[in-house]
Amino acid sequence: MMVTILPGLVVIVLLVGALLCALSAGPRAAARVGLAAGAISGLLSVWLAASVWIGGPVAVTWWDGLPLAIPAALAVRVDALGAIFLVLLAVVPAAVLLHAQSYLDGQPAGPARWFFSLFLILVAAMSLVVMSADWVLFLFAWEVMTLASYFLVIWDWKQERHARAAWTYLLTTHVTSSGILVAVCSLSLVAGDFSVGATAAALAELFQRLPGFGHLLVAFLVLGFITKAAVWPFSFWLPEAYRAAPTPATAVYSGLMAKMGIYGLVRVLFFMLPGGGQPALVWGLVIATLGTASMLVGNIRSLSEQDAKRLVAQSSIGQIGYIVLGLGMAVALSGRAPLLAAVAFAGALYHLINHAAFKSLLFLTVGAVEQVSGTLDLRRTGGLLKALPFTAGLTLLGALAIAGTPPLNGFASKWLLYRAAVFGGFELPVLAVYGVIAIFISTVSLAAYLKYFGTVFLGPEREYPAGRRGPESPAAAASLGVLGTACVLLGLFPAPVVQAALAALQGAPGTALYGAGTVTGADVMGAALGGAGYQPLMVVLALALCALLVWLIRRLAIEPVRFTEPWFGGERLPASEARYGSEHLYRPFLARWAALLRPWWQPSFHAPPALERAIDLDRWLLGPVYGGFQALAGLAGRWHGGRVKGYVGWQLLATVVLIAVLIGMEGGLR
């Protein structure tokens, strides 16, 4: 009984926290309330997830039957898949709220209250998305999530660039999300119900009777979800939107909100789409192709960025591509190679969890750099290693993790994806090609983050007049430490994570098609596909021995390093001339990929003139009201002549008018 109230408590705590943040006295009070609400709801979410893993799915109906005879109910159901997302929604927001204590320190009270309130509403909406058992509740939570994230993007609304980015994001996601609404309403007409289970059965029936219409509805659903996930080519809104939002919000956008699109995609592909047949093969290859393209375009574009936040944002597009590639392979291989389908799905969900950890970490390091340097331009940064030693270390850790360097978490999940692609090539040869591209792109990802790390932290220190100097904030360091620790632990102990992913797949219809019930997490990471498997502790031992060997060689066989200033032609060069800037890195490589660096499709949205006039409140409402007040102020200013006799006269006149009004009221009362 106690477990059934947990879904409601998670949402209530977050919404009450949002209200208290809005009513708090100042920015520090709002930050503390936000952190407390995030921590309490996080503990409740972990409790709920653990209950699901131990005792099975938790289902609650809050309101059975909606007004106007709508065949829907406000119902939630948390299964093994939702439990994984709830744990992410517990850990990442708590770490981000901890970091925001210092990031927003010194902000005016209004913007700070606005940020923390919207942040908690966003987390509450995402929690509802992963718990919804009915499409009406799902779409309501989806809309609240979109609006809350829009207001965070436009947080610094005075900059036109930010306003344009927020408008593009809002309009793009609403246009594509309308496809989700159309598909859900169509399926509910067939099923007679808005529940997720009934619409899944209706889709299976449509594929038997009207396969073309079934493919159309799946296309609507997939389009809406991959746009939210920022899968190329529907990712054009992401770099500017992430650039505009406050960095703590951007960490949650990339670490969690984009994953809501992946969550919806998993529900459609594995819980609604019939597996093992022609529809699964078609949609699996389509999704895998989109994932590979996203992986290629996003990571190569990140290599060319000169803005730190845009670099990490473009990389998010590429890393989401790995996840989508894994999901596509799992769907395409269902029924043909069930074990490989299970490995691909486990790798995709494992990489989703890993991405939430290292991408949130990297965005928070960008926030720390922005605070100290006052800029996000990589061409104007450098030498921050002394000012931010802990942040520099965690940045290097995140860079190695995202590039797939063993024994960190990025390698474990990518290793599963590589194996699924290579072995899956025997069934579908194109998957082997996608696997080779994935391996190549990991080196591009490493190059992009070495560029970020080297240009920001290494080299001679620059002057930063716009930055805030001082020791690293303990709160910010703690948040980075939590996420960095997660990157290490997720890499050293992969079997429990893979087991959780397989448990999520076991809840899907047609489990036998995906082979999730035939293997364990230890089998997938071990010898299920042949060979010795991945042994992370042995990798750690090998790396330690190599490090010891390098240290001995340097100690015994290499002369001491002598540092000197750079010179040319007998003259010392100033640091500004000797520095190798970020704009000079990888030029030959980027020249070969110039076609990918140009935006292929960058739509601009313009409202019709009549609509612009209708929504322009400044023109027909606020402007005239302001003009009237300005005219009254000018008139009062002319009366304010500085003469005491005039002031006394006005006071006498006001007294006479007041007495006349009171007498009139007295007469009216009688």
Side-chain angles (χ1 to χ4, degrees), residues 27 82 136 147 236 417 480 486 501 559 569 648:
V136 172
L147 291 177
F236 54 85
L417 295 174
L480 298 180
E559 291 291 328
V648 173

mmCIF file of all heavy atoms in Angstrom, residues 27 82 136 147 236 417 480 486 501 559 569 648:
data_model
loop_
_atom_site.group_PDB
_atom_site.id
_atom_site.type_symbol
_atom_site.label_atom_id
_atom_site.label_comp_id
_atom_site.label_asym_id
_atom_site.label_seq_id
_atom_site.Cartn_x
_atom_site.Cartn_y
_atom_site.Cartn_z
ATOM 1 N N PRO A 27 17.458 34.626 -3.583
ATOM 2 C CA PRO A 27 18.015 33.549 -4.421
ATOM 3 C C PRO A 27 18.591 32.392 -3.624
ATOM 4 O O PRO A 27 18.457 31.239 -4.017
ATOM 5 C CB PRO A 27 19.091 34.277 -5.241
ATOM 6 C CG PRO A 27 19.385 35.523 -4.488
ATOM 7 C CD PRO A 27 18.135 35.912 -3.786
ATOM 8 N N GLY A 82 10.620 2.150 -16.797
ATOM 9 C CA GLY A 82 10.414 3.415 -16.105
ATOM 10 C C GLY A 82 11.290 3.550 -14.875
ATOM 11 O O GLY A 82 11.698 4.661 -14.513
ATOM 12 N N VAL A 136 -3.434 10.385 -22.328
ATOM 13 C CA VAL A 136 -3.878 11.731 -21.968
ATOM 14 C C VAL A 136 -2.944 12.330 -20.918
ATOM 15 O O VAL A 136 -2.496 13.476 -21.035
ATOM 16 C CB VAL A 136 -5.334 11.703 -21.465
ATOM 17 C CG1 VAL A 136 -5.744 13.063 -20.907
ATOM 18 C CG2 VAL A 136 -6.276 11.296 -22.594
ATOM 19 N N LEU A 147 6.889 23.286 -22.195
ATOM 20 C CA LEU A 147 6.728 24.693 -21.821
ATOM 21 C C LEU A 147 7.733 25.100 -20.747
ATOM 22 O O LEU A 147 8.304 26.204 -20.807
ATOM 23 C CB LEU A 147 5.295 24.939 -21.335
ATOM 24 C CG LEU A 147 4.204 24.845 -22.403
ATOM 25 C CD1 LEU A 147 2.834 25.028 -21.780
ATOM 26 C CD2 LEU A 147 4.431 25.887 -23.495
ATOM 27 N N PHE A 236 18.249 20.610 -35.599
ATOM 28 C CA PHE A 236 18.739 21.955 -35.912
ATOM 29 C C PHE A 236 18.452 22.949 -34.791
ATOM 30 O O PHE A 236 19.132 23.967 -34.666
ATOM 31 C CB PHE A 236 18.096 22.447 -37.215
ATOM 32 C CG PHE A 236 16.599 22.393 -37.222
ATOM 33 C CD1 PHE A 236 15.852 23.411 -36.695
ATOM 34 C CD2 PHE A 236 15.943 21.289 -37.768
ATOM 35 C CE1 PHE A 236 14.460 23.352 -36.691
ATOM 36 C CE2 PHE A 236 14.562 21.222 -37.774
ATOM 37 C CZ PHE A 236 13.814 22.257 -37.231
ATOM 38 N N LEU A 417 27.681 -2.144 -28.229
ATOM 39 C CA LEU A 417 27.151 -1.696 -29.520
ATOM 40 C C LEU A 417 28.054 -2.147 -30.667
ATOM 41 O O LEU A 417 27.558 -2.564 -31.726
ATOM 42 C CB LEU A 417 27.000 -0.173 -29.524
ATOM 43 C CG LEU A 417 25.965 0.391 -28.543
ATOM 44 C CD1 LEU A 417 26.019 1.907 -28.536
ATOM 45 C CD2 LEU A 417 24.565 -0.083 -28.906
ATOM 46 N N LEU A 480 30.208 17.801 -9.341
ATOM 47 C CA LEU A 480 31.085 17.172 -10.334
ATOM 48 C C LEU A 480 31.616 15.840 -9.830
ATOM 49 O O LEU A 480 31.745 14.876 -10.593
ATOM 50 C CB LEU A 480 32.244 18.113 -10.663
ATOM 51 C CG LEU A 480 31.898 19.468 -11.289
ATOM 52 C CD1 LEU A 480 33.161 20.271 -11.540
ATOM 53 C CD2 LEU A 480 31.129 19.275 -12.586
ATOM 54 N N ALA A 486 30.091 8.405 -10.719
ATOM 55 C CA ALA A 486 29.163 7.565 -11.474
ATOM 56 C C ALA A 486 29.806 7.050 -12.758
ATOM 57 O O ALA A 486 29.609 5.883 -13.134
ATOM 58 C CB ALA A 486 27.895 8.351 -11.797
ATOM 59 N N ALA A 501 18.800 -3.329 -17.809
ATOM 60 C CA ALA A 501 18.337 -3.095 -19.183
ATOM 61 C C ALA A 501 17.601 -4.315 -19.727
ATOM 62 O O ALA A 501 16.557 -4.188 -20.385
ATOM 63 C CB ALA A 501 19.519 -2.742 -20.077
ATOM 64 N N GLU A 559 66.063 12.279 -19.612
ATOM 65 C CA GLU A 559 66.649 13.441 -18.946
ATOM 66 C C GLU A 559 65.557 14.343 -18.378
ATOM 67 O O GLU A 559 64.443 14.397 -18.909
ATOM 68 C CB GLU A 559 67.493 14.235 -19.944
ATOM 69 C CG GLU A 559 68.758 13.522 -20.385
ATOM 70 C CD GLU A 559 69.750 13.422 -19.242
ATOM 71 O OE1 GLU A 559 69.779 14.339 -18.389
ATOM 72 O OE2 GLU A 559 70.481 12.416 -19.183
ATOM 73 N N GLY A 569 63.895 33.447 -34.075
ATOM 74 C CA GLY A 569 64.886 34.372 -34.622
ATOM 75 C C GLY A 569 65.661 35.112 -33.555
ATOM 76 O O GLY A 569 66.055 36.267 -33.755
ATOM 77 N N VAL A 648 0.431 73.643 -1.445
ATOM 78 C CA VAL A 648 -0.645 73.846 -0.467
ATOM 79 C C VAL A 648 -1.990 73.933 -1.176
ATOM 80 O O VAL A 648 -3.004 73.377 -0.737
ATOM 81 C CB VAL A 648 -0.376 75.112 0.371
ATOM 82 C CG1 VAL A 648 -1.576 75.429 1.263
ATOM 83 C CG2 VAL A 648 0.869 74.929 1.219
#
